[in-house]
Amino acid sequence: MPNHALPDEDLLKRLADTLYQQGYLALPDALPPPLIRTLQNRIQALDNAAFHPAGIGREQDYRHLKRVRSDRIHWLDSHDPATRSYFDWMEALRLGLNRTLFLGLFDYECHFAWYPQGARYQTHLDAFRGNNNRRLSTVLYLNPDWQTGDGGELVIHAPLPEQAVRLPGLATPSATPELLRIQPLNATLVLFLSEVFPHEVLPAHKPRYSITGWFRVNTSSTRQADPPA
Ligand code: OGA
Ligand code: MN
Protein backbone atom coordinates (compact mmCIF):
# COMPACT_ATOMS: atom_id res chain seq x y z
CA MET A 1 0.00 0.00 0.00
CA PRO A 2 1.41 3.44 -0.85
CA ASN A 3 2.37 5.60 2.10
CA HIS A 4 0.67 8.95 1.55
CA ALA A 5 2.96 10.66 4.04
CA LEU A 6 5.95 10.15 1.71
CA PRO A 7 6.73 11.36 -1.83
CA ASP A 8 5.69 8.75 -4.40
CA GLU A 9 7.82 7.43 -7.25
CA ASP A 10 6.13 9.64 -9.80
CA LEU A 11 6.87 12.82 -7.83
CA LEU A 12 10.47 11.76 -7.16
CA LYS A 13 10.98 11.18 -10.87
CA ARG A 14 9.53 14.59 -11.81
CA LEU A 15 11.72 16.36 -9.25
CA ALA A 16 14.84 14.51 -10.38
CA ASP A 17 14.14 15.26 -14.06
CA THR A 18 13.67 18.98 -13.42
CA LEU A 19 16.75 19.20 -11.21
CA TYR A 20 18.77 17.41 -13.86
CA GLN A 21 17.55 19.81 -16.56
CA GLN A 22 17.78 23.16 -14.77
CA GLY A 23 19.29 22.73 -11.31
CA TYR A 24 16.42 24.39 -9.44
CA LEU A 25 12.66 24.06 -9.04
CA ALA A 26 9.64 25.31 -7.10
CA LEU A 27 6.77 22.92 -6.45
CA PRO A 28 3.46 24.22 -5.01
CA ASP A 29 1.56 22.03 -2.51
CA ALA A 30 4.51 19.67 -2.32
CA LEU A 31 3.98 18.05 1.08
CA PRO A 32 0.77 16.50 2.46
CA PRO A 33 -1.51 18.95 4.33
CA PRO A 34 -1.43 17.04 7.67
CA LEU A 35 2.37 17.21 7.64
CA ILE A 36 2.28 20.93 6.86
CA ARG A 37 -0.14 21.49 9.75
CA THR A 38 2.13 19.57 12.12
CA LEU A 39 5.05 21.81 11.17
CA GLN A 40 2.96 24.96 11.55
CA ASN A 41 1.90 23.87 15.03
CA ARG A 42 5.50 23.16 15.94
CA ILE A 43 6.74 26.56 14.79
CA GLN A 44 3.87 28.34 16.54
CA ALA A 45 4.69 26.55 19.79
CA LEU A 46 8.16 28.11 19.79
CA ASP A 47 8.44 31.47 21.50
CA ASN A 48 10.55 34.27 20.10
CA ALA A 49 13.44 33.44 22.43
CA ALA A 50 13.83 30.05 20.73
CA PHE A 51 14.93 31.82 17.55
CA HIS A 52 18.39 33.31 17.34
CA PRO A 53 20.18 35.48 14.77
CA ALA A 54 21.87 33.35 12.15
CA GLY A 55 25.61 33.52 11.58
CA ILE A 56 27.29 33.88 8.22
CA GLY A 57 30.63 32.15 8.37
CA ARG A 58 32.73 33.22 11.33
CA GLU A 59 34.04 36.50 12.72
CA GLN A 60 31.50 38.61 10.92
CA ASP A 61 30.79 42.17 11.92
CA TYR A 62 27.34 41.98 13.49
CA ARG A 63 26.04 45.22 11.95
CA HIS A 64 27.18 44.09 8.53
CA LEU A 65 25.50 40.76 9.14
CA LYS A 66 22.19 42.36 10.02
CA ARG A 67 22.22 44.30 6.79
CA VAL A 68 22.78 41.13 4.79
CA ARG A 69 20.48 38.87 6.73
CA SER A 70 17.84 39.70 9.33
CA ASP A 71 15.98 36.41 9.75
CA ARG A 72 16.10 34.39 12.95
CA ILE A 73 16.53 30.65 13.08
CA HIS A 74 15.88 27.55 15.17
CA TRP A 75 17.72 24.32 14.25
CA LEU A 76 15.55 21.23 14.03
CA ASP A 77 16.45 18.05 15.86
CA SER A 78 15.88 14.90 13.79
CA HIS A 79 15.01 13.03 16.99
CA ASP A 80 12.16 15.38 17.91
CA PRO A 81 8.93 13.37 17.41
CA ALA A 82 7.11 16.59 16.41
CA THR A 83 9.16 16.96 13.25
CA ARG A 84 9.93 13.28 12.61
CA SER A 85 7.55 13.03 9.65
CA TYR A 86 9.28 15.96 7.94
CA PHE A 87 12.68 14.27 8.27
CA ASP A 88 11.12 11.03 6.96
CA TRP A 89 9.81 12.88 3.89
CA MET A 90 13.22 14.45 3.26
CA GLU A 91 14.92 11.09 3.72
CA ALA A 92 12.69 9.58 1.02
CA LEU A 93 13.56 12.54 -1.21
CA ARG A 94 17.28 12.04 -0.51
CA LEU A 95 17.14 8.35 -1.42
CA GLY A 96 15.03 9.02 -4.53
CA LEU A 97 17.39 11.70 -5.84
CA ASN A 98 20.46 9.61 -5.13
CA ARG A 99 18.93 6.70 -7.01
CA THR A 100 18.31 8.67 -10.20
CA LEU A 101 20.87 11.49 -10.14
CA PHE A 102 23.79 9.84 -8.30
CA LEU A 103 24.20 12.98 -6.21
CA GLY A 104 25.68 11.07 -3.29
CA LEU A 105 23.61 13.07 -0.81
CA PHE A 106 24.69 11.85 2.60
CA ASP A 107 22.70 13.63 5.27
CA TYR A 108 20.30 16.50 5.92
CA GLU A 109 20.28 19.44 8.30
CA CYS A 110 17.60 22.12 8.57
CA HIS A 111 16.24 24.99 10.61
CA PHE A 112 13.04 26.92 11.00
CA ALA A 113 13.45 30.50 9.80
CA TRP A 114 11.37 33.44 10.96
CA TYR A 115 11.62 36.68 9.04
CA PRO A 116 10.10 39.40 11.22
CA GLN A 117 8.36 42.19 9.35
CA GLY A 118 10.95 44.02 7.22
CA ALA A 119 13.51 41.20 7.33
CA ARG A 120 15.40 40.13 4.22
CA TYR A 121 18.41 38.11 3.09
CA GLN A 122 20.58 39.72 0.44
CA THR A 123 21.98 37.83 -2.54
CA HIS A 124 24.24 34.98 -1.43
CA LEU A 125 25.35 31.45 -2.19
CA ASP A 126 24.66 28.68 0.33
CA ALA A 127 27.96 26.95 -0.39
CA PHE A 128 31.37 27.83 -1.73
CA ARG A 129 32.06 25.82 -4.87
CA GLY A 130 34.23 22.79 -4.16
CA ASN A 131 34.89 23.75 -0.57
CA ASN A 132 31.70 22.97 1.30
CA ASN A 133 29.64 19.88 1.67
CA ARG A 134 26.27 21.52 1.14
CA ARG A 135 25.08 20.29 -2.22
CA LEU A 136 21.30 20.76 -2.47
CA SER A 137 19.30 23.47 -0.68
CA THR A 138 15.65 23.01 0.30
CA VAL A 139 13.12 25.62 1.38
CA LEU A 140 9.59 24.78 2.52
CA TYR A 141 7.21 27.64 3.27
CA LEU A 142 4.77 27.69 6.18
CA ASN A 143 2.62 30.76 5.53
CA PRO A 144 -1.09 29.85 5.37
CA ASP A 145 -2.36 33.24 4.26
CA TRP A 146 0.37 34.85 2.23
CA GLN A 147 -0.95 37.39 -0.31
CA THR A 148 0.56 38.99 -3.38
CA GLY A 149 1.98 42.25 -2.07
CA ASP A 150 3.23 40.74 1.21
CA GLY A 151 6.78 40.69 -0.23
CA GLY A 152 9.22 38.06 0.98
CA GLU A 153 9.72 36.50 -2.44
CA LEU A 154 12.70 34.22 -2.99
CA VAL A 155 14.58 35.32 -6.12
CA ILE A 156 16.85 32.76 -7.79
CA HIS A 157 19.58 34.29 -9.93
CA ALA A 158 21.61 32.84 -12.79
CA PRO A 159 24.91 31.17 -11.82
CA LEU A 160 27.97 33.34 -11.38
CA PRO A 161 30.73 33.09 -13.99
CA GLU A 162 32.93 30.09 -13.20
CA GLN A 163 35.95 32.20 -12.33
CA ALA A 164 34.13 34.34 -9.77
CA VAL A 165 35.40 33.61 -6.29
CA ARG A 166 32.78 34.16 -3.63
CA LEU A 167 32.46 33.33 0.00
CA PRO A 168 29.26 31.60 1.12
CA GLY A 169 26.75 33.81 2.83
CA LEU A 170 28.19 37.11 1.65
CA ALA A 171 26.23 39.44 -0.57
CA THR A 172 27.45 39.21 -4.14
CA PRO A 173 28.33 42.68 -5.42
CA SER A 174 26.82 42.41 -8.87
CA ALA A 175 23.62 40.51 -9.41
CA THR A 176 23.26 38.06 -12.26
CA PRO A 177 19.94 37.92 -14.17
CA GLU A 178 16.85 36.77 -12.35
CA LEU A 179 15.70 33.24 -13.22
CA LEU A 180 12.71 32.75 -10.96
CA ARG A 181 10.75 34.70 -8.34
CA ILE A 182 8.84 32.54 -5.84
CA GLN A 183 6.12 33.61 -3.42
CA PRO A 184 6.52 31.93 0.00
CA LEU A 185 3.13 30.22 -0.24
CA ASN A 186 2.16 27.55 2.22
CA ALA A 187 3.53 24.07 1.32
CA THR A 188 5.59 25.29 -1.64
CA LEU A 189 8.92 23.45 -1.77
CA VAL A 190 11.99 24.91 -3.47
CA LEU A 191 15.11 22.92 -4.37
CA PHE A 192 18.32 24.26 -5.91
CA LEU A 193 21.99 23.36 -6.18
CA SER A 194 23.64 25.12 -3.23
CA GLU A 195 26.97 25.91 -4.93
CA VAL A 196 25.50 27.15 -8.18
CA PHE A 197 22.60 29.57 -7.71
CA PRO A 198 22.90 32.94 -5.97
CA HIS A 199 19.56 33.85 -4.40
CA GLU A 200 17.98 36.44 -2.15
CA VAL A 201 14.90 36.96 0.00
CA LEU A 202 13.15 40.29 -0.64
CA PRO A 203 11.93 42.23 2.41
CA ALA A 204 8.90 40.55 3.97
CA HIS A 205 6.07 42.95 4.83
CA LYS A 206 4.73 40.63 7.52
CA PRO A 207 6.22 37.72 9.49
CA ARG A 208 7.37 34.94 7.16
CA TYR A 209 8.04 31.32 8.17
CA SER A 210 9.91 28.49 6.48
CA ILE A 211 12.16 25.50 6.93
CA THR A 212 15.48 25.87 5.16
CA GLY A 213 17.68 22.81 4.84
CA TRP A 214 20.67 21.32 3.08
CA PHE A 215 21.49 17.88 1.83
CA ARG A 216 25.19 17.37 2.30
CA VAL A 217 27.76 15.13 0.75
CA ASN A 218 30.31 13.38 2.88
CA THR A 219 33.56 15.19 2.18
CA SER A 220 36.77 13.96 3.74
CA SER A 221 37.89 17.52 4.48
CA THR A 222 37.63 18.24 8.19
CA ARG A 223 38.93 21.80 7.94
CA GLN A 224 35.50 23.32 7.49
CA ALA A 225 33.23 23.28 10.53
CA ASP A 226 29.79 23.37 9.00
CA PRO A 227 27.28 24.58 9.91
CA PRO A 228 28.13 27.31 12.41
CA ALA A 229 25.91 26.66 15.43
C1 OGA B 1 18.66 30.69 3.36
C2 OGA B 1 17.77 31.13 2.26
C3 OGA B 1 15.55 31.30 1.31
C4 OGA B 1 14.11 31.49 1.70
O1 OGA B 1 18.19 30.52 4.50
O2 OGA B 1 19.87 30.49 3.09
O3 OGA B 1 18.28 31.49 1.25
O4 OGA B 1 13.28 31.65 0.78
N1 OGA B 1 16.41 31.08 2.41
O5 OGA B 1 13.80 31.52 2.89
MN1 MN C 1 20.31 30.72 1.06
Side-chain angles (χ1 to χ4, degrees):
M1 213 178 72
N3 182 346
H4 296 295
L6 295 176
D8 62 26
E9 285 304 315
D10 180 59
L11 176 61
L12 291 172
K13 184 177 179 326
R14 279 194 291 137
L15 296 178
D17 286 349
T18 312
L19 273 183
Y20 180 78
Q21 281 157 23
Q22 59 183 28
Y24 64 90
L25 63 85
L27 180 73
D29 299 318
L31 277 73
L35 175 44
I36 296 292
R37 277 194 297 276
T38 302
L39 296 171
Q40 276 162 357
N41 292 341
R42 183 74 190 97
I43 207 167
Q44 272 158 23
L46 294 170
D47 61 24
N48 292 357
F51 288 84
H52 55 86
I56 303 174
R58 269 165 275 172
E59 297 164 33
Q60 287 291 316
D61 175 296
Y62 185 69
R63 277 166 306 171
H64 167 69
L65 198 90
K66 272 208 80 171
R67 251 197 340 268
V68 173
R69 166 170 204 187
S70 39
D71 61 326
R72 300 176 75 85
I73 65 170
H74 175 94
W75 286 97
L76 269 73
D77 174 1
S78 61
H79 302 293
D80 178 354
T83 47
R84 186 69 249 169
S85 51
Y86 175 73
F87 280 93
D88 289 346
W89 202 96
M90 285 296 163
E91 176 64 6
L93 176 62
R94 184 183 76 81
L95 294 173
L97 294 179
N98 278 350
R99 214 162 44 232
T100 44
L101 296 180
F102 308 104
L103 284 172
L105 305 176
F106 180 74
D107 71 357
Y108 184 67
E109 59 177 4
C110 61
H111 59 61
F112 282 128
W114 160 41
Y115 286 68
Q117 186 176 359
R120 64 184 299 188
Y121 195 162
Q122 291 182 16
T123 309
H124 65 281
L125 281 171
D126 283 351
F128 187 25
R129 225 184 268 254
N131 209 353
N132 187 298
N133 52 10
R134 288 178 174 175
R135 190 55 56 85
L136 185 70
S137 301
T138 74
V139 192
L140 173 70
Y141 298 110
L142 301 169
N143 301 301
D145 33 53
W146 203 264
Q147 307 288 331
T148 307
D150 288 340
E153 294 93 344
L154 170 63
V155 182
I156 296 183
H157 292 278
L160 295 164
E162 195 70 38
Q163 67 275 20
V165 177
R166 298 280 177 264
L167 292 172
L170 295 182
T172 50
S174 54
T176 51
E178 185 173 325
L179 297 177
L180 187 65
R181 188 173 280 225
I182 302 148
Q183 281 206 306
L185 299 179
N186 208 31
T188 292
L189 175 69
V190 178
L191 304 177
F192 57 90
L193 296 172
S194 311
E195 298 157 303
V196 178
F197 295 97
H199 55 282
E200 66 183 307
V201 179
L202 303 181
H205 306 318
K206 66 181 194 188
R208 172 195 194 267
Y209 296 96
S210 59
I211 300 180
T212 305
W214 297 273
F215 289 109
R216 305 192 299 186
V217 292
N218 190 17
T219 56
S220 52
S221 163
T222 51
R223 285 182 30 240
Q224 297 257 322
D226 186 52

